[in-house]
Amino acid sequence: MQIIFINIILQIIFLNVQKAPSVTITNDYFGTKIVDKYRNLENLQDSQTLKWMKSQTAYTNSVLDLIPKRKYYTEKRLEFDKRQGYSVSDLKITGNDRYFYLKKNGDEKVDKLYYRDGFLGKEILLYDPINYKNTEPNHEFVINFISPSWDGSKVAVSMAEKGLELSDLIIIDVKKKQIYPEFIANIAPATMGGINWIDDDSGFFYVYFSTIDSKSQDFYKNTRTVLYKIGTDPKKLVEVFSAKNNPELKITEDQFPVILNFDQEDLYYIGMLVDFQTYKKTYIIKKKDLLEGKNNWKLFSDPNDNAKNLELQKDKVIFQSGYNSSFNKLCRTSINDPDFKNAEVLVSEKKDEIIKTYRITQDGIYYTTTKNGVEAKLYLYKDGKDNLIQPPYPSGNIDLESKGENYSDFWITCSGWANDEQRFRYDVKTNTFKPENLAPIAEYSEFKDIIAKEITIKARDGEEIPLSLIYNKNLIRDGKSPLLIESYGSYGVVDSPFFAKTYLLWINQGGVVAVAHVRGGGEKGEKWRLGGYKETKPNTWRDLIDCTEYLIKEKYTSKDKVAVWGASAGGITVGRAITEKPELFKVALLEVGMLNPLRDEVTPNPQPKEFGTVKDPKEFKALLEMDSYQHIKNGVKYPATFITGGINDQRVIVWGPTKFAAKLMADDSSNNPILLKIDFEGGHSGNVPVAQRYANLGDMFTFALWQLGHPDYQPKKNKK
């Protein structure tokens, strides 16, 4: 009764909060009229729009402040950081055994850059981001990636702030600990090319953005790969792979031309046109030719070849092939006369296992496979034979690390839902693993009884959907446990197991966590991705609904105890689940979610190749079907909903979540709270200090536990 009472009081308070300004626009798509009541909120220059976003954020904070344990998750995560002592990330090892990495002590806000000579070498602090632009007010930078030169004499450091994807790049002389006078502004993130040093360490390739206006529709258009030489003027661009520099390649404005990672011994560069599809067009050029200013790129692989993850090895290219394969194979073909469709098969397709990643070393090709994206295996292909290697312990995820094809050095990092990640060096001669963790492994006795279980459930159409369950081994299945179910399901991305302390804290508070590996992801290969793609996208949210209903049926939880969480493109999954079957969920958490796909093509980061285009009648219908905003119906009772956005988000523009919140608030007929919180110091959740990230996550979990009736999260009736 108390939660109902509090919700009614909040509704009364909310009536005094200004409603969203509304200007209705109607569009006609192939004879279908689409009414958009909040098109005006797309104008982020409008003072009324910003005023409403700020008022809603203030209201949300005032509501959260009434909850006794609002800071619990943030404080526990910071406590865990201190318990561990320090954490290490973004490790890079050069051929001469120099280790570069980011390290954050438990009581620090951001990572600093360190290096050492060899694993056992003395640790040396190289750079503290607090020193970057420290004379300018209102700046708080984080290092979001690093790239050392081949000999480790220099390191490029990317400095980002306030959730922005584009960053500044500084170059540090390692021996002198001095920053070069030149710096490069507006560097693309590591996921879009990063920094690739040329063989003599005199410069590097990077991706240049044509505009820095993150709200512009041209933001991700006409990018280009340029070559920068140390000591030259960064403003004088030397384009080497772009539509302007290579008109004969007919690179479209929405493709990202990038140069793939390479080894010093390689004779060629491979250029790829990134367009967020599984298989992409690639080109090849001799290193010598490109560095001499020639533009003689040649077509290497076509998307129809179904080849990805290309790696050069002497006069051959190794790649993963999905050609005539339900899952995939590891193949090899000639560089000079490539035939990707009829290539030599090194590792044949495996039953129920997808080849996830591989590394070429002096001793052979190490590779990992996953079953349903959650059960990992490690193999070594050597001398024509395929050898299974038993890792130190069973793992849901195994990451690989090596120095290159001329070295034996090889490491793995193992992790799982209930196991913190650990790093090991592998000795192929003795078939043994030796721990080589750069950060201490903390003890978490409070999580000792938590287990993970991987199952499949049958969807309404008979498809088997993988479902990860994480819970206390002493769980009583009586339907009373709060359930947090998370799902994504786009771009072929796999929801890989990792040691999520926030999940484990939820479980320690009496809950169950589930991860639904729905169609649209990559857990079962390309066919699985295409099962939740454009016209088949409804499978994505219906798989989530079916997984939730299964968990209720099996008494892991009940309808009034379910919180569903989706982030980014997972906003489609969760947004449509709650608009299609709102009575199934008690709480919805929509974190920087894609909620208005019909308007995707006017955003800075449109994805018509993944979701569809309104210019095509068939794809328009698919977009309309996956548009959560357009599926909100007046008078329907929707779950308690917490919606977030980042003012500097360049992937999911902030007006998408804002419009969804406005319409849901206007049309919902329940007494459930609907809260909107905009992070005015952040973007798409990353590139912010860790405490800020913890606080944003903590607010969502606090809201969920309040609405699910957890006794520790109920506001006091008499609190003013």
Side-chain angles (χ1 to χ4, degrees), residues 376-417:
K377 290 184 179 180
L378 175 65
Y379 295 87
L380 172 61
Y381 173 82
K382 182 180 181 181
D383 300 329
K385 296 181 180 179
D386 202 21
N387 305 290
L388 177 65
I389 301 173
Q390 294 296 335
Y393 56 84
S395 301
N397 188 51
I398 300 175
D399 290 326
L400 308 182
E401 182 184 348
S402 67
K403 287 186 178 180
E405 65 177 274
N406 294 324
Y407 301 87
S408 288
D409 304 78
F410 177 72
W411 300 264
I412 66 170
T413 300
C414 302
S415 60
W417 298 119

Side-chain angles (χ1 to χ4, degrees), residues 41 56 80 82 90-91 113 142 191 305 324 423 499 688:
L41 296 181
Q56 289 300 315
F80 288 156
K82 291 179 181 178
D90 204 18
L91 171 66
L113 172 61
V142 298
T191 53
D305 290 326
N324 287 338
R423 182 172 176 269
F499 191 62
V688 295

Side-chain angles (χ1 to χ4, degrees), residues 37 613 681:
K37 294 175 67 175
T613 174
E681 292 292 323

Side-chain angles (χ1 to χ4, degrees), residues 12 35 70 92 100 105 264 310 333 339 352 368 395 449 457 469-470 483-484 487 491 655 667 677 701:
I12 295 171
V35 178
R70 177 184 182 181
K92 303 289 171 58
F100 293 86
N105 289 322
Q264 280 181 298
L310 284 63
T333 190
D339 186 349
D352 296 330
T368 62
S395 301
D449 290 332
I457 70 104
L469 295 175
I470 316 160
L483 171 72
L484 177 71
S487 195
Y491 301 108
W655 54 249
D667 292 354
K677 184 179 181 186
F701 280 54

